[in-house]
Amino acid sequence: MTATLAPPATVQAHRDPNVLRWLGAYTSSMLGDNVYYLALSWAAVQAGTPAEAGLVMSASALPRAVLMLGGGVLADRFGPRRVVVGSDAVRCAAVLAVAALLFLTSPGLWPLALLALVFGTVDAVFMPAVGALPARITGKDQLARVQGLRGLAIRCASVVGAPLGGLGVALGGAPAAFALAGLLIALSLPLLLSVRIRDLPTDTGPAGSPRADTAWSELKGGLRYVRRHRVLGPLMLAIALGDLGFVGPLNVGLTLLADRRGWGAAGMGWVLAGFGVGAGAASLLLAARGRVPRAGLVAGCACAAGSVAVGSLAFVPALAAAVGTAVLVGLLTGLSGALCGAFLQTQADPAYLGRVTAVSGLVSLGLTPLSMPFAAAAIGAFGLGPVYAVSAAVCGLGGVVVLAVPALRHAELPG
C-alpha cells in the first residue's frame, strides 16, 4: 500500500516572509493615509472657513459609498494585487501633485476638494481589493491570524501617523506633509510587487461555472451569494447593527461628553487612547493565537457585552473611569470586530471575496457615518444618557443576531 503524503503545513503568518512583506506594504500605505488626512484638514482650515474645510474633509465619503460595490467587482475580476497596486499608484501621484502645487502657489480649496474626491473614488476600489488579498498570500488556516496582524497595523498607523503628519506640517507646512504622505504610500508599491500571489482554484466561479460576461452580472451574482450564504448574510446584518450603534457614541458623542464633563480635548484624547489600547490587545490576541475556540459564540457575547460598556460611558463621571471603560469597549468590540472580519475571510469563496468585502465596507464605512449627524441632533434634544442607551441597544442587537442564528453562533475559524 502506498502511503498518502499529507499536504505541507502552512507557515504561520507572523513568520511567513511573504505575509510580512504584505504587512509592511499595508502598514506603509495606512501610515500615508493618516498623514494625508491630517495634511488635508490642516490645509483646508488654512485655505477656507471652518464650514468649507468640513465640506472638503467629507468630499471623499460620497464616491466611496456609491462606488464601493463596483470596486469589489473589479477586485474579483482583475485580481486584488493588481487593483491595490494601481490604487496606491494613483493615490501617490495625486498627493504628490497637490504637494507640488501647494509648494509653488496658493490655489485655494479647489485642489484639496479634487484630491478628496480622488481619494474617495480610489478608496472604493482599494478597500475591497485589500480585503481580498490575504486569501491569495497564505493558507486558509492563517487568515484569522492575518486579520489580527492587519488590525495591529491599523492601530500602529493611527498612533504613529498623526505625529508624523504634525511633524511634516511643523517642518514645511501642508506641502511637506502631503509629500511625506505620498512617499509613504509609494513605499508600499515595491513591497506589494514582491509579494507572491497564489492562484485560486475558483477563479472561474464556484464549481467551475464560467465567469459572468458583464460587471453588472458579476455584481448581482456577488450580492446574491452574500444574501444566500447561511453565515455571511446574517453576518452583514450583525456588522451593520454593531457599527451603527457604535459610531455615534465614539465619535460625535464622545466630543460632546468630554465637553460637558469638563475633560477637554486632552481628556477626550485619553479616552480614545484607552479605546485604541483595548482594540489593539484584541488584534494582538488573534494574531498570536491564530484562532479562538467557539469563535461565533465569542463574537456574539463580546459584541453584546461591548454594547453595555458603550452605553455606560455616558454615566461615568470621572475621567480615569471613562478611560478604563474605553479600554473595555475597545477590547470587547475590537474582539468581535476582528472575529467578524476573520469570518469574512474564511467563510467566503475566494472568488467572491472582493465583492463580499465591498458589501461589508459599504454597511460599515459607507452607511454608518450617516448616523453621526442624527446622534448629535438627538443628544441636543434628549441628552447624552438616552442617546447612548439607544445606541448601545442597537449595537447589542448585532450581538443578538450572531447568537440567534445557529450557523453564525456555531461558526468556527479554521485550525
Side-chain angles (χ1 to χ4, degrees):
M1 180 180 293
T2 302
T4 301
L5 296 178
T10 306
V11 179
Q12 289 185 335
H14 61 290
R15 297 175 179 172
D16 186 345
N18 199 47
V19 173
L20 294 179
R21 286 193 295 272
W22 165 82
L23 184 65
Y26 182 71
T27 304
S28 179
S29 182
M30 291 298 99
L31 276 171
D33 272 5
N34 279 273
V35 173
Y36 153 77
Y37 282 114
L38 188 143
L40 181 67
S41 62
W42 179 266
V45 168
Q46 296 298 309
T49 66
E52 291 171 335
L55 288 175
V56 168
M57 293 301 296
S58 61
S60 61
L62 182 61
R64 184 169 57 220
V66 171
L67 302 175
M68 182 79 73
L69 294 179
V73 173
L74 291 178
D76 287 335
R77 172 170 280 213
F78 297 108
R81 181 172 65 172
R82 186 181 302 175
V83 173
V84 170
V85 169
S87 301
D88 271 349
V90 171
R91 295 193 304 165
C92 176
V95 171
L96 292 178
V98 170
L101 185 63
L102 292 178
F103 180 77
L104 296 173
T105 184
S106 299
L109 285 171
W110 70 264
L112 303 177
L114 180 61
L115 178 62
L117 287 171
V118 169
F119 248 73
T121 302
V122 174
D123 272 351
V125 179
F126 174 81
M127 294 170 62
V130 164
L133 195 53
R136 305 280 188 124
I137 63 175
T138 190
K140 192 172 184 178
D141 60 323
Q142 294 300 309
L143 289 176
R145 198 185 299 272
V146 169
Q147 186 68 21
L149 292 172
R150 183 181 174 187
L152 288 174
I154 292 172
R155 297 301 163 194
C156 174
S158 64
V159 170
V160 178
L164 273 180
L167 180 63
V169 169
L171 293 178
F178 276 125
L180 177 59
L183 292 175
L184 286 168
I185 296 172
L187 180 61
S188 71
L189 295 174
L191 290 171
L192 280 171
L193 292 173
S194 69
V195 173
R196 298 189 310 274
I197 300 297
R198 300 182 177 197
D199 292 327
L200 296 180
T202 51
D203 271 349
T204 58
S209 59
R211 183 182 291 281
D213 292 332
T214 67
W216 177 246
S217 57
E218 287 190 9
L219 175 57
K220 291 192 296 183
L223 294 174
R224 185 166 52 248
Y225 173 76
V226 171
R227 187 180 72 250
R228 293 178 177 177
H229 198 286
R230 64 194 194 103
V231 172
L232 296 178
L235 181 62
M236 294 301 176
L237 177 60
I239 291 173
L241 289 169
D243 286 349
L244 189 64
F246 174 81
V247 167
L250 265 294
N251 286 274
V252 62
L254 184 57
T255 303
L256 296 173
L257 180 64
D259 179 65
R260 297 188 182 184
R261 291 284 191 274
W263 299 337
M268 185 178 71
W270 279 108
V271 175
L272 289 174
F275 170 79
V277 168
S283 294
L284 181 61
L285 172 66
L286 194 57
R289 291 184 58 87
R291 73 185 296 268
V292 175
R294 307 188 71 178
L297 180 63
V298 171
C301 292
C303 183
S307 69
V308 176
V310 168
S312 66
L313 269 174
F315 304 96
V316 176
L319 177 59
V323 172
T325 304
V327 172
L328 188 60
V329 171
L331 181 63
L332 293 170
T333 61
L335 180 59
S336 64
L339 289 174
C340 287
F343 285 142
L344 292 177
Q345 291 286 326
T346 57
Q347 292 285 333
D349 186 316
Y352 285 105
L353 198 46
R355 283 163 285 180
V356 170
T357 305
V359 175
S360 171
L362 180 63
V363 301
S364 180
L365 299 176
L367 299 180
T368 52
L370 299 177
S371 66
M372 287 193 282
F374 294 103
I379 289 173
F382 304 107
L384 285 164
V387 174
Y388 264 76
V390 171
S391 297
V394 173
C395 184
L397 285 176
V400 171
V401 169
V402 175
L403 297 174
V405 177
L408 190 48
R409 184 176 69 250
H410 296 303
E412 294 283 3
L413 299 175

